Amino acid sequence: MNRKRSIALYRRALGLIPGGVNSPVRAFKAIGIPPVFIERAKGSKIWDVDGNEYVDYVGSWGPMIMGHAHPRIVRALKKTAPKGTSFGAPTPLEVELAMRVRKAFPSMELMRMVSSGTEAVMSAIRVARGYKGRNKILKFEGCYHGHGDSLLVKAGSGATTFGIPDSLGVPEDLARHTLTAPYNDLEKVKHLVNQYPEQIACIIVEPIAGNMGVILPEKGFLEGLRKICDEKGILFLFDEVITGFRVAYGGAQELYGIKADLTCLGKIIGGGLPVGAYGGKEKIMESVAPLGGVYQAGTLSGNPLAMAAGIETLEILKSRRVYHDLEKKTSYLTERIFESAEEQGVPVSINRATGMFTLFFTGGTVRDYFSAKTSDTKRFAKFFTEMLDQGIYLPPSQFEAWFISLAHTQKDLDKTIEACDTAFKKI
Ligand SMILES: *Cc1c(COP(=O)(O)O)cnc(C)c1O
């Protein structure tokens, strides 16, 4: 596959943008080849600047559940743009999107629109701290919640309870307020909660983890966290930036029947435009300015284009049939890929939820960050390159989710399975 123009653009970008990319996950660093520069996309396909076509399983890392350039969303944008793209004043569109979101997530009694998932989570954490008057938060190792200072922390060694920042530039004074526990480990959570009585403002979780590869909550995990939060007066914060409107219309909360105190959304609710939202119980959200003392603001918050794309997306998704379709595609693809790997004698483990899954190159069960890390990343890198050369565009890291959209066709899925047969044989 010729990727000359991508390579030339990458060289130029390297002199202008750190690492040539505007988000590190795009850099193909784990693969060791230059990233592909995209020219356009439609439905389940993307085309690079050299004219190569790929079936896309990145889906902009989650938002593109409808497929790319969906005609209804493009139409909504064309209708909205001529009326002005930002006013810095309230609009009917943001009220409409909020109404739709609350219908899907009844626990979000009041909500704020922001411009990214990162912003949503940062703000929700501030609200939790401000409302509770407590500084500490508890997160799970391997869960990503955007790049806010308090959240760029995973566990140090098992003995460490104070967070160690994952990034330079995060003050230790702040990171030490972030406690971490392994995903699916209720005992560790109980231990931490007892160790820091009345100091933890919230427990934040990806109710289905997507950012260490897909990992499902084991039976009783989320219920157990809910119980601990209730007993200890800790707020329970669901980061549904990926799972919201993906695993079900009402996200993981609907799927598992658990109510969060605070919820963060992003990705799908912007229909491919920059959006985030956070919200929760009225009495908690009343602490946000101008009602309360927690400050949070945004010049482009509730942006009309983003709201219009979000509204149209939710309008299509609300016929819940689409989730049945997405589930069928997901199970078909994952079952065939697993069979293909088995036939070629490649040990793999697949975790999946509706519309998202990860193919781990490990034979063992993946239930937390530690077990995810047992995957053979070198083998993944080879697999990725083989797939790319056959026109299948995957997330360029072992520890990410593949996203399926409603636009993926049976032909796309079968082409992907065939490419897997070849790739598994070669690696
Ligand atoms: C993507 C993501 C975020 C951050 O959203 P951005 O829009 O990239 O800032 C936060 N939480 C989760 C679970 C995510 O997957």
Side-chain angles (χ1 to χ4, degrees):
M1 217 175 239
N2 181 351
R3 285 194 280 268
K4 266 199 283 203
R5 296 178 76 174
S6 271
I7 293 167
L9 272 169
Y10 181 50
R11 287 214 184 101
R12 192 175 303 167
L14 283 171
L16 294 163
I17 302 167
V21 289
N22 278 317
S23 189
V25 293
R26 300 177 191 172
F28 284 24
K29 205 175 163 211
I31 312 296
I33 60 172
V36 176
F37 280 65
I38 305 303
E39 169 108 5
R40 68 194 166 92
K42 177 80 189 150
S44 59
K45 312 279 194 327
I46 51 172
W47 287 267
D48 69 16
V49 288
D50 290 286
N52 301 307
E53 179 184 299
Y54 308 88
V55 179
D56 179 26
Y57 288 100
V58 174
S60 189
W61 303 86
M64 310 315 301
I65 194 169
M66 308 301 315
H68 295 281
H70 190 283
R72 283 180 60 177
I73 293 166
V74 172
R75 202 181 314 135
L77 291 171
K78 280 186 175 162
K79 208 175 112 196
T80 309
K83 298 193 214 166
T85 56
S86 186
F87 318 118
T91 70
L93 294 173
E94 54 197 4
V95 179
E96 181 170 352
L97 184 59
M99 268 167 29
R100 286 171 184 263
V101 168
R102 194 174 62 187
K103 212 161 182 195
F105 287 81
S107 70
M108 296 174 77
E109 294 166 8
L110 286 180
M111 77 191 74
R112 262 283 161 80
M113 298 293 167
V114 293
S115 298
S116 70
T118 293
E119 221 189 321
V121 180
M122 275 167 53
S123 310
I125 295 283
R126 186 177 302 146
V127 169
R129 284 174 163 158
Y131 176 77
K132 294 302 298 185
R134 300 176 180 179
N135 283 337
K136 294 204 187 307
I137 63 170
L138 195 160
K139 77 177 281 291
F140 294 93
E141 203 177 324
C143 282
Y144 178 68
H145 302 293
H147 63 85
D149 281 344
S150 290
L151 296 150
L152 280 181
V153 177
K154 60 183 179 212
S157 73
T160 318
T161 44
F162 290 135
I164 298 187
D166 269 349
S167 166
L168 297 176
V170 175
E172 265 167 55
D173 283 346
L174 186 60
R176 75 191 171 84
H177 291 301
T178 303
L179 310 171
T180 59
Y183 202 77
N184 278 322
D185 189 345
L186 267 183
E187 286 312 306
K188 177 71 192 227
V189 174
K190 282 181 194 156
H191 179 77
L192 287 170
V193 163
N194 289 329
Q195 199 174 354
Y196 299 97
E198 321 242 320
Q199 293 175 59
I200 302 173
C202 70
I203 294 179
I204 178 169
V205 69
E206 282 182 79
I208 293 172
N211 286 289
M212 48 183 153
V214 172
I215 296 182
L216 299 175
E218 284 167 4
K219 215 172 157 51
F221 178 56
L222 296 174
E223 293 82 352
L225 293 177
R226 179 69 269 180
K227 189 154 165 268
I228 291 168
C229 286
D230 289 340
E231 283 169 6
K232 306 288 181 182
I234 296 170
L235 299 183
F236 197 14
L237 199 169
F238 268 31
D239 181 350
E240 298 227 43
V241 171
I242 286 183
T243 53
F245 298 98
R246 175 166 290 276
V247 297
Y249 191 68
Q253 290 178 54
E254 178 184 304
L255 201 63
Y256 295 113
I258 295 175
K259 257 192 168 178
D261 300 309
L262 285 165
T263 299
C264 295
L265 297 171
K267 298 193 170 123
I268 289 176
I269 61 158
L273 277 84
V275 159
Y278 70 97
K281 282 203 183 108
E282 193 171 335
K283 68 175 199 286
I284 301 171
M285 288 299 289
E286 276 173 351
S287 52
V288 178
L291 294 179
V294 176
Y295 196 71
Q296 180 272 315
T299 301
L300 293 173
S301 293
N303 176 266
L305 287 176
M307 296 298 105
I311 291 165
E312 198 60 27
T313 300
L314 299 201
E315 176 59 26
I316 300 166
L317 293 179
K318 94 177 178 208
S319 116
R320 290 157 186 257
R321 256 181 307 116
V322 296
Y323 291 96
H324 183 69
D325 178 33
L326 203 56
E327 172 54 30
K328 255 181 32 199
K329 286 175 183 170
T330 314
S331 59
Y332 178 81
L333 186 60
T334 51
E335 280 161 24
R336 296 305 183 289
I337 291 177
F338 189 78
E339 284 167 16
S340 169
E342 251 188 344
E343 255 166 48
Q344 301 304 329
V346 178
V348 300
S349 176
I350 300 179
N351 286 351
R352 71 175 183 88
T354 298
M356 60 193 277
F357 70 94
T358 298
L359 167 69
F360 292 99
F361 283 87
T362 175
T365 306
V366 177
R367 62 183 293 268
D368 54 18
Y369 191 55
F370 182 78
S371 43
K373 281 287 196 186
T374 63
S375 302
D376 185 342
T377 52
K378 287 207 182 80
R379 204 164 204 186
F380 171 80
K382 278 190 214 150
F383 175 79
F384 173 92
T385 311
E386 290 296 333
M387 294 296 277
L388 190 70
D389 285 340
Q390 295 179 82
I392 312 291
Y393 187 76
L394 304 178
S397 159
Q398 169 68 91
F399 308 107
E400 297 287 359
W402 304 26
F403 291 108
I404 302 179
S405 77
L406 292 163
H408 282 83
T409 61
Q410 186 63 36
K411 214 172 129 204
D412 293 331
L413 304 182
D414 288 332
K415 182 181 169 178
T416 307
I417 293 156
E418 255 173 57
C420 282
D421 288 339
T422 307
F424 285 135
K425 220 172 276 172
K426 285 201 181 168
I427 61 167

